[in-house]
């Protein structure tokens, strides 16, 4: 199978969403399925480069025990998405994921809605980035393709940015083209400032080719589409299908 230059982080939150829908109150039950670990191992077997999970303050899907189990068991990298709170930071410092992606978090949102306002919270984010980096974790900021946010991310010491592709994914035609131009400018600036450029949110095998105009992409984090496809073709095939499209990216 063709090897993409781009790395793929598979977000398996929604495998756990399914488990929680039925077994939230009886996670110890031998019937509690689907298994988060099996999902991670299937994704790895198909060629995923990392496993991404979002430990939310409301614990709506991934649980603390899931994160610890993944940390002990996966053979690729663990990428933990987290809001900037003391509680989750303490967990991240104990678990030591390979990567952390700092995200904004709203209790009412269905999924992460906008990018993080790094420019507006420099001091608290700088402290979090330092604590995590000193502990051996590379830190990314999930931001809208906004040049001030890119500059602020570099300034507070982040190693990476993950460009929010939600607006790109949810529009077509001229609006999508305009968003691609914003993504290009953000990627160019981030690269010039020494940041690794990642992207994620709403990406599918259908919309990825439109993203290929964006330079310097290193890693994509993709969840909903892969897990949705997995319902029909299985998780391994869904990850392979994504990697096949990703192999067509040329920086
Ligand atoms: N990256 C970040 C920071 C996210 O919050 C999410 C959604 O959890 C994703 C990537 C994956 O988005 P999607 O599930 O739409 O592929």
């Amino acid at each position: 199978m063709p090897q993409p230059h781009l790395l793929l982080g598979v977000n398996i939150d929604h495998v756990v969403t399914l488990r929680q829908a039925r077994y939230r109150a009886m996670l110890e039950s031998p019937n509690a399925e689907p298994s988060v670990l099996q999902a991670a191992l299937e994704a790895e077997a198909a060629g995923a480069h990392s496993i991404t999970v979002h430990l939310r303050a409301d614990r709506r899907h991934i649980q603390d025990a899931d994160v610890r189990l993944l940390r002990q068991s996966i053979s690729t990298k663990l990428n933990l998405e987290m809001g900037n709170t003391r509680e989750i930071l303490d967990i991240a410092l104990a678990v030591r994921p390979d990567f952390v992606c700092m995200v904004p978090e709203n209790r009412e949102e269905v999924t992460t809605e906008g990018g993080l306002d790094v420019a507006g919270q420099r001091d608290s984010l700088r402290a979090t980035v330092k604590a995590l980096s000193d502990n051996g974790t590379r830190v990314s900021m999930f931001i809208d393709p906004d040049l001030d946010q890119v500059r602020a991310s570099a300034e507070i010491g982040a190693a990476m940015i993950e460009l929010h592709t939600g607006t790109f994914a949810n529009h077509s035609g001229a609006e999508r083209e305009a968003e691609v131009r914003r993504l290009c400018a953000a990627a160019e600036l981030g690269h010039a400032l020494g940041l690794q450029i990642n992207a994620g949110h709403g990406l599918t095998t259908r919309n990825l080719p439109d993203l290929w105009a964006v330079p310097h992409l290193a890693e994509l984090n993709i969840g909903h589409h892969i897990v949705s496809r997995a319902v029909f073709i299985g998780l391994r095939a869904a990850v392979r299908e994504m990697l096949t499209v990703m192999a067509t990216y040329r920086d």
Side-chain angles (χ1 to χ4, degrees), residues 164-206:
H164 192 318
T165 48
T167 302
F168 159 85
N170 293 326
H171 292 85
S172 56
E175 285 167 316
R176 179 176 286 179
E177 282 167 25
E179 188 65 7
V180 168
R181 286 195 291 277
R182 291 182 73 212
L183 288 162
C184 287
E188 292 284 13
L189 176 62
H191 182 72
L193 294 173
L195 295 164
Q196 177 178 318
I197 312 299
N198 303 333
H201 207 93
L203 297 176
T204 70
T205 50
R206 295 181 299 275

Side-chain angles (χ1 to χ4, degrees), residues 17 38 50 106 145 157-158 212 222 244:
T17 298
Q38 197 180 350
S50 54
N106 268 311
W212 289 168
I222 306 181
T244 300

Side-chain angles (χ1 to χ4, degrees), residues 77-133:
K77 309 284 187 191
L78 180 63
N79 177 29
L80 182 70
E81 296 175 354
M82 56 175 268
N84 189 23
T85 65
R86 186 72 238 178
E87 184 211 2
I88 306 288
L89 176 60
D90 285 343
I91 294 168
L93 291 172
V95 168
R96 302 185 91 187
D98 300 279
F99 315 131
V100 152
C101 182
M102 303 298 306
V103 300
E105 215 174 275
N106 268 311
R107 271 180 189 269
E108 305 305 322
E109 68 191 357
V110 174
T111 179
T112 313
E113 277 164 3
L116 188 63
D117 180 14
V118 182
Q121 316 168 49
R122 284 170 210 254
D123 291 345
S124 64
L125 283 169
R126 186 182 282 114
T128 299
V129 169
K130 182 167 180 356
L132 289 165
S133 306

